[in-house]
Amino acid sequence: PYAWTDQDTGLTGNNPRVYVERSANQTRRVHLLYDDGATSYSRYSDDNGDSFSSATSIGAGTNPCGVFLPNGSQCLYRLDGTTIKGIVRDKALNVYESSFTATTSVDATTRFAVDWCPVVGNSQVILLLYVDGGNVKYKTATTGVNFGSATSIEAGGYPEVVCGPDRVFNLYWLTG
C-alpha cells in the first residue's frame, strides 16, 4: 500500500517539475524546478518536501527540467524563446558548465523533457525530447552538454521521457 500527503509549500511559480535523485547513497533529495516571470529556478529538499532551500537561478527562460546524476551533477535546462539552454552544477550547486545551447529551433509554446539512463561502466546517456515544427525529436549526449544530431519521430506535442528499470528510454507524446 502507498500513502501520500498534500502539502502547501507556500512557494509560487509556474511550470513546476519535481525530481527525486536516484543516487548511489539513496539520499533521495527532492528537487523542484519552476519558472517565475521570465526566469527559471531550482530548489531542493532533504526532508521529503517539508521545507525547501532558497531559490537558485537556472537562467532566463521557462519550462525548466533537468537530470540529477549519481555523481551529484545536475544538468538543468530551460526554454529561452525557441532555444533550449542549460547549465551544469555539481552537488554543492557550483556551476561548472555555464549557460550553453542544447538545441535551437524548438517550438516556443510547448514543453520539453529530459532524462538519463546508465550505460556500461560509470557513464550515462542523456536524452532530450522536444518539439520542432510540430514534430517530436530527440537528441542524446553523454555529458548533458554536447548533444548530437536530432532524430525526428513523428508529429506530436507534450513529450515526456523516462528511463525504465531495464535501462531503456521510454518516450511519450500526444498526437492529433
Side-chain angles (χ1 to χ4, degrees), residues 23-56:
S23 62
N25 62 8
Q26 301 299 309
T27 58
R28 301 290 187 200
R29 177 174 274 183
V30 176
H31 294 271
L32 172 65
L33 306 182
Y34 63 97
D35 61 69
D36 191 4
T39 303
S40 290
Y41 296 96
S42 67
R43 295 176 182 253
Y44 66 88
S45 172
D46 288 327
D47 57 12
N48 294 315
D50 287 338
S51 62
F52 281 88
S53 67
S54 298
T56 304

Side-chain angles (χ1 to χ4, degrees), residues 95-133:
V95 175
Y96 66 86
E97 192 70 52
S98 59
S99 189
F100 61 88
T101 298
T103 194
T104 58
S105 300
V106 177
D107 291 1
T109 58
T110 189
R111 61 189 283 142
F112 64 98
V114 65
D115 202 2
W116 71 276
C117 271
V119 294
V120 176
N122 273 342
S123 65
Q124 66 277 326
V125 173
I126 297 169
L127 187 138
L128 180 65
L129 189 64
Y130 61 97
V131 179
D132 174 11

Side-chain angles (χ1 to χ4, degrees), residues 146-160:
N146 299 312
F147 286 87
S149 299
T151 299
S152 186
I153 302 172
E154 69 177 21
Y158 297 97
E160 286 296 339

Side-chain angles (χ1 to χ4, degrees), residues 11-16 34-37:
L11 303 175
T12 59
N14 299 301
N15 302 306
Y34 63 97
D35 61 69
D36 191 4

